[in-house]
Amino acid sequence: MSTVITSPDVIPEAPPRGNHTSGKVRTCATTGLSVCLDAQRFIKLNAVFAVVFLALGGIAALMLGLTRWPAVHLLPADWYYRLLTFHGLNMLIFWILFMEVAILYFAATSLLNSRLASAKVAWVSFGMMAVGAVMVDAVVLMGLGDVMMTSYVPLMAHPLFYLGIILVAVGTLIAVGNFFATIYIAKRDRTYVGSVPLVVFGATAAAIIAVVTLLHGAVVMIPTFTWSLGWTGPPDPAWYRIVWWGLGHQSQQVNVCAMVSVWYLLGHVTTGAKPLNEAVCRSAFVLYILFINLASAHHLLVDPGVSAGWKIWNTSYAMYLAVLASMIHGFTVPASIEVAMRGKGHIRGLFGWLAKAPWKNPGFSAMFLSLVIFGFLGGITGVTLGTQQINILAHNTLRIPGHFHTTVVGGTSLAFMGLAYYVIPLIFRKDFYWKGMARWQPYLFAIGITVMALGMSFAGSYGVPRRHWDVEFSGAAQAAGFGSGAHLMLGIMGVGSVLAFVGLISFVLLAVAAVFFGKPIEGKMPSWGEAPVVAAAKPAVPAGAHDDHKAPGTMALVIILLVSFVVYYFANWKALSDVWHVR
Amino acid sequence: MSIQAPEAGWFRPPSGGERTWMGLALVWCLVMSAMMPFWHFKGQQNSTGESYTVEPVKFIERVERFVASNKVGEDKGIPIVEPAPGGDAYLLGRMWSWYPILKLKQGQTYRLHISSSDLQHGFSLQPVNMNFQVLPGYDHVLTLTPTMKGDYQVICNEFCGIGHHLMTGRIIVE
C-alpha cells in the first residue's frame, strides 16, 4: 500500500473541509451550505423565543397605541406605565437579542462551514437568557417593576427585575463568547479559505459591539441590584445615565450592525447581489466598532453634570464617522442590487432595475422597505435630534420614539422578519401556509409603522411628551394641554399602531403556523420568486471588473436622501432659533 | 459575495459612484460637526450643562428662601414668585408638581436653578417646547431669557411614578 507524502508547504493549498462531527451535520439542499445540527437546534430555540417575545411586546404595543390615541384612551394609568415598561423590554431587548443570537450562530457555522464550538455553553446561555427574560416579564406584570425600560435611579424596582436583566445580559455575553469560539475553531480547522464572508464580518462587528455594550450593562446593573436589596447606597443618577446609555444606546448599534448584515444577506439571496467593493463595506463596519459607542452621549445632551464640550465632542467629531458608515451602507446595499439587476438585463432607464425587483418576495420587500425606512426616516431624524442644541426641542418628547420606531422597528425588526421568510424553510425546513398573506405582510407592517412614527414625530414637534398617560392633564394642579394639531397627530399615531399591529400579528401567525404545523420540506425550499433574468441579457461583466459597474439609479436615490437630510436638518435649526434664549 | 469568502485581492480603494458618494457624505458629516461649535458661539440656544452638586434638602431650603423673599402672589395656594431681573430663580421638581410659579420679564436674563427632591424629572416648557433633564442631587442652571410674553406651562416629561401625568407648573412672562 502506497501513501502519498505531502510536504508541509502544500497544505495551504488543500481545499477547505468542515470540522463537523459525523452525524451532526446536514447539507442544505437549497443553498448547498453545511448546517451544524447543534447550531440548528439553538437557532430554532432562540428564534422561537424571539417570536414569542415579539408577540407579547406587540400585544402590549397595541394597548399602548390605543391609550395614547386620545379618542380611545384605553388603559388605566397604572397599566399604561406597566405595559410600556413591558413593551420596551420585550421588543427592544428580548425579541432583538434572541434573534441576534440566532443570527450569530448561523453566521459562524453555516457560512464558515464549521461546527458550533460548544452545545453545552449554548444551553447555559439560552437557559440564562430564557429564565432572565421570563423573570423580568413576570415581575413587571405583577406590578413590581413600573420603572420603564430605562429604570432611571432613584426609581426602584423589585430586585428580581434587575437580576433578570443581568441574567439576560450575561447569557447573551456567553452566546457571543460561543460565537467567537466558533470563529476561532473554524479558523484553526481551516474550514474556509481566505477572508470571512461579508455577512460574517458584519456579524462579528455586531458581536464586538455587543461585548462592550453588555459590559456596560453589568457595570450599571450590578450596583443597582445590590441597592435594590438594601446592601449598598443609591447609584448617582448622572453616573447611572451615562453608563446605562452605554448599554441602552449601544445595544441599538448591535441591531444596526446585525440589520445591515441581514440587508447584505437578503440582497444576495433574493437578487444575487454582491458587494461592489468589499473593502468599502468592511471599512464601514469598522467605523461602527470604533465610533458608535460615543453616540450614547446623545441621550444626555440636555443633562446637568456633563459639559457642552463633552456633549459636542461625543456627538459630532466621533459620532458622525459612524453616521458616515451608515450612509456608506445606504449606498452599497442598493447599488449592489442595482448592479445585479442590470446584470440580469433590467437596464431600462434610471429605475427599471428597481421596478423589476422581486417585490412579491417578502424577503426582498422586507429588506428594501427596511432600508428605505431606516435611511429616510430613522437616520435623518436620529442625526438631527442627536445634534446637541436641536435636542432642546426634542428631548423626551414623542419625537424620540417617533425616531427609534423607524430605526429599530421599521428598520431592524422588519429586516429580521424578512430573514424569517428564509430561516423557516431553510433551518426549520417547514413550509409556510397562506403565502399570499406573507407577500403583503411586510408592506402592511412598513406602512403601519411609518404612519405611526410620523404621527409620533409630529405630535412630538408640538411638545407632546413620551411615556405620558394623559395629554389632557385632567386633575393636575395647574392646567396644561395641547391643541388640536397635536391631537390629530396622536390620532394618526393610533391608526398607524393598529395597522402595524395587524402586520406584526400576521407575521407571528405565519411563523407559528409554519414552524409548528407547516409541511416538512424535503429537498429544496419552495422559491419566493427571485429576480428573473431577461432572455436577451448581456453576459455578466467578468469578475474583477467591478470598477465598471455603474449604479446611476442608486446615486439618484442617495442624492434625494441627502437633499431631504439637509432640508430637515436646517429646518430644525431654524425652529430652534425661534425659542427662548438659553445657555 | 456576501455569504461566500471574497475573491482574492478584494482590498481595493473605492472608485466610481461609491467614491463620489463617500466624499459627499463625508463633507456633509463635517458640515454637521461644524454646526454645533458654531452655534455654541454664535447661536442663542445652547445646553451648556452648567450644574453643581447639591443635597436635595439644601436645595429645598434655597427654594423656600427664594419664595419667602420674592413672593408676589398666590394661585390656588401655590406661591407666585418674581425674581429680580438678572437674578437667580429657583424651580423645584417633585412628585408631582413644579414649585413655585415663576413670574419673569420679557427680555430679562435669569439664572434659573432647577433640581429635584426625589426622582428624575423632565423640565418641559410648553408651548415653546424647550426640554431639559432634571436630576436629584444636581442643581441644573439655565441662563434663560424669555423672548415672548405669555402664560406658559411646565410639564414633566421624564417618567416619575404613577402621578407623572399630573405634574405641571407655570411660568408667567410679562
Side-chain angles (χ1 to χ4, degrees):
Chain A
M1 217 174 129
S2 70
T3 46
V4 178
I5 296 163
T6 318
S7 65
D9 54 340
V10 177
I11 289 171
E13 289 165 20
R17 69 228 185 285
N19 57 0
H20 298 277
T21 320
S22 72
K24 288 214 164 189
V25 64
R26 68 177 174 87
T27 301
C28 176
T30 311
T31 61
L33 296 172
S34 69
V35 180
C36 163
L37 296 184
D38 279 337
Q40 175 176 284
R41 177 190 301 126
F42 291 105
I43 292 168
K44 284 180 179 180
L45 272 175
N46 280 285
V48 166
F49 267 63
V51 172
V52 170
F53 292 119
L54 177 71
L56 291 173
I59 292 165
L62 178 68
M63 304 285 186
L64 299 174
L66 291 177
T67 304
R68 294 224 62 176
W69 185 348
V72 184
H73 210 230
L74 180 71
L75 295 172
D78 54 346
W79 273 98
Y80 168 75
Y81 293 122
R82 194 160 298 155
L83 288 187
L84 185 52
T85 308
F86 184 83
H87 168 72
L89 290 162
N90 279 276
M91 292 306 216
L92 213 46
I93 301 190
F94 305 152
W95 142 249
I96 299 264
L97 279 186
F98 279 87
M99 200 65 186
E100 279 166 359
V101 168
I103 291 172
L104 289 183
Y105 287 160
F106 167 75
T109 56
S110 285
L111 295 185
L112 294 183
N113 189 24
S114 176
R115 66 179 172 84
L116 186 66
S118 167
K120 284 198 187 96
V121 169
W123 272 121
V124 171
S125 153
F126 176 75
M128 288 177 78
M129 287 174 72
V131 169
V134 170
M135 191 188 284
V136 170
D137 274 355
V139 168
V140 170
L141 288 179
M142 286 160 72
L144 300 173
D146 296 338
V147 294
M148 302 292 126
M149 190 189 77
T150 42
S151 57
Y152 285 141
V153 299
L155 208 55
M156 194 198 277
H158 192 277
L160 289 180
F161 175 90
Y162 306 107
L163 183 64
I165 291 182
I166 292 168
L167 280 176
V168 173
V170 175
T172 310
L173 207 49
I174 292 172
V176 172
N178 210 2
F179 167 82
F180 285 125
T182 306
I183 299 257
Y184 168 74
I185 61 166
K187 182 88 188 158
R188 183 196 64 193
D189 300 343
R190 299 195 313 107
T191 61
Y192 63 97
V193 280
S195 309
V196 298
L198 181 61
V199 173
V200 181
F201 192 88
T204 309
I208 291 170
I209 299 172
V211 171
V212 183
T213 301
L214 295 165
L215 289 177
H216 278 87
V219 168
V220 75
M221 276 298 148
I222 290 169
T224 310
F225 174 56
T226 55
W227 164 67
S228 72
L229 288 166
W231 297 351
T232 52
D236 179 84
W239 173 86
Y240 179 96
R241 288 172 65 84
I242 290 183
V243 186
W244 194 91
W245 282 110
L247 164 75
H249 193 91
Q250 283 196 82
S251 54
Q252 307 321 309
Q253 312 305 337
V254 180
N255 302 341
V256 171
C257 258
M259 172 189 72
V260 172
S261 304
V262 169
W263 287 348
Y264 282 115
L265 178 66
L266 287 175
H268 173 71
V269 171
T270 58
T271 68
K274 52 184 187 177
L276 303 189
N277 184 328
E278 291 265 0
V280 169
C281 303
R282 285 164 199 245
S283 305
F285 278 118
V286 173
L287 285 179
Y288 279 150
I289 299 173
L290 293 179
F291 296 110
I292 207 79
N293 55 341
L294 302 174
S296 309
H298 75 214
H299 296 266
L300 312 176
L301 295 181
V302 293
D303 267 32
V306 279
S307 72
W310 184 89
K311 293 170 181 178
I312 290 177
W313 166 260
N314 282 295
T315 23
S316 72
Y317 290 98
M319 175 183 157
Y320 290 154
L321 290 175
V323 172
L324 179 66
S326 285
M327 291 175 83
I328 291 172
H329 290 304
F331 179 91
T332 57
V333 172
S336 66
I337 292 170
E338 177 172 359
V339 168
M341 290 297 292
R342 286 179 187 275
K344 288 171 191 267
H346 305 286
I347 50 172
R348 181 170 297 176
L350 214 46
F351 297 116
W353 61 277
L354 195 56
K356 297 289 180 190
W359 291 103
K360 288 181 178 172
N361 176 334
F364 178 83
S365 62
M367 182 275 289
F368 210 88
L369 291 168
S370 159
L371 176 73
V372 170
I373 294 173
F374 183 88
F376 277 87
L377 299 174
I380 290 177
T381 58
V383 177
T384 305
L385 303 186
T387 303
Q388 201 238 328
Q389 294 92 340
I390 291 174
N391 193 252
I392 293 171
L393 300 177
H395 180 68
N396 276 356
T397 70
L398 267 180
R399 288 181 81 180
I400 304 301
H403 149 69
F404 67 69
H405 280 86
T406 50
T407 52
V408 79
V409 188
T412 308
S413 288
L414 185 53
F416 287 1
M417 287 175 180
L419 182 66
Y421 289 114
Y422 281 87
V423 167
I424 290 173
L426 291 176
I427 299 288
F428 289 82
R429 284 185 287 171
K430 292 294 181 66
D431 200 8
F432 278 96
Y433 292 103
W434 317 307
K435 293 191 177 167
M437 181 168 150
R439 292 185 199 283
W440 56 251
Q441 184 274 331
Y443 295 94
L444 183 59
F445 187 70
I447 291 168
I449 214 70
T450 301
V451 169
M452 191 200 76
L454 289 176
M456 279 181 160
S457 291
F458 286 112
S461 305
Y462 287 108
V464 176
R466 66 186 290 199
R467 298 176 165 178
H468 197 280
W469 179 66
D470 183 16
V471 292
E472 315 291 352
F473 300 86
S474 31
Q478 273 139 68
F482 294 94
S484 53
H487 281 77
L488 174 67
M489 289 305 155
L490 287 169
I492 290 173
M493 183 204 84
V495 172
S497 67
V498 172
L499 287 177
F501 175 76
V502 176
L504 181 148
I505 215 70
S506 311
F507 169 78
V508 172
L509 283 177
L510 283 161
V512 169
V515 166
F516 293 104
F517 311 106
K519 268 199 305 266
I521 295 174
E522 308 289 343
K524 285 194 171 191
M525 76 171 260
S527 171
W528 285 109
E530 277 72 42
V533 179
V534 174
K538 288 186 295 183
V541 182
H546 300 305
D547 292 351
D548 301 330
H549 286 179
K550 296 275 192 293
T554 300
M555 187 52 93
L557 289 176
V558 293
I559 295 294
I560 295 170
L561 173 83
L562 185 58
V563 170
S564 316
F565 201 160
V566 171
V567 169
Y568 185 79
Y569 181 76
F570 283 111
N572 275 277
W573 280 110
K574 173 68 184 75
L576 180 72
S577 70
D578 290 339
V579 304
W580 294 6
H581 299 174
V582 64
R583 63 177 191 271
Chain B
M1 298 221 190
S2 311
I3 63 168
Q4 276 107 36
E7 293 145 13
W10 55 267
F11 199 88
R12 297 177 289 117
S15 56
E18 236 170 12
R19 187 181 154 127
T20 310
W21 173 246
M22 286 170 74
L24 277 174
L26 181 62
V27 167
W28 174 236
C29 288
L30 292 174
V31 169
M32 291 195 297
S33 296
M35 268 310 285
M36 287 191 282
F38 167 77
W39 197 266
H40 194 73
F41 293 108
K42 296 290 180 191
Q44 300 295 338
Q45 295 83 9
N46 285 287
S47 169
T48 58
E50 181 181 350
S51 50
Y52 307 90
T53 52
V54 61
E55 292 276 317
V57 182
K58 294 268 193 285
F59 189 81
I60 294 170
E61 280 172 15
R62 278 197 241 167
V63 173
E64 292 302 350
R65 270 205 304 278
F66 164 71
V67 171
S69 52
N70 294 280
K71 183 171 163 180
V72 294
E74 232 175 64
D75 176 27
K76 294 178 219 152
I78 302 162
I80 302 173
V81 185
E82 184 170 354
D88 292 81
Y90 288 82
L91 188 65
L92 174 68
R94 61 188 180 191
M95 297 155 76
W96 291 287
S97 67
W98 293 102
Y99 175 87
I101 296 170
L102 296 174
K103 194 171 187 179
L104 308 178
K105 287 209 157 39
Q106 183 192 20
Q108 295 290 338
T109 301
Y110 301 86
R111 282 173 61 77
L112 177 59
H113 300 254
I114 315 180
S115 191
S116 160
S117 57
D118 39 56
L119 300 175
Q120 302 195 15
H121 295 290
F123 170 85
S124 179
L125 181 73
Q126 299 300 341
V128 190
N129 193 20
M130 297 175 78
N131 306 280
F132 293 91
Q133 190 73 22
V134 178
L135 305 180
Y138 287 83
D139 172 12
H140 193 172
V141 183
L142 304 179
T143 305
L144 192 69
T145 313
T147 55
M148 296 164 275
K149 290 181 181 169
D151 206 331
Y152 297 93
Q153 313 152 5
V154 182
I155 61 172
C156 177
N157 67 10
E158 185 62 77
F159 175 70
C160 55
I162 187 65
H164 164 53
H165 48 273
L166 298 173
M167 183 165 168
T168 56
R170 195 174 156 207
I171 294 180
I172 304 156
V173 183
E174 290 184 333

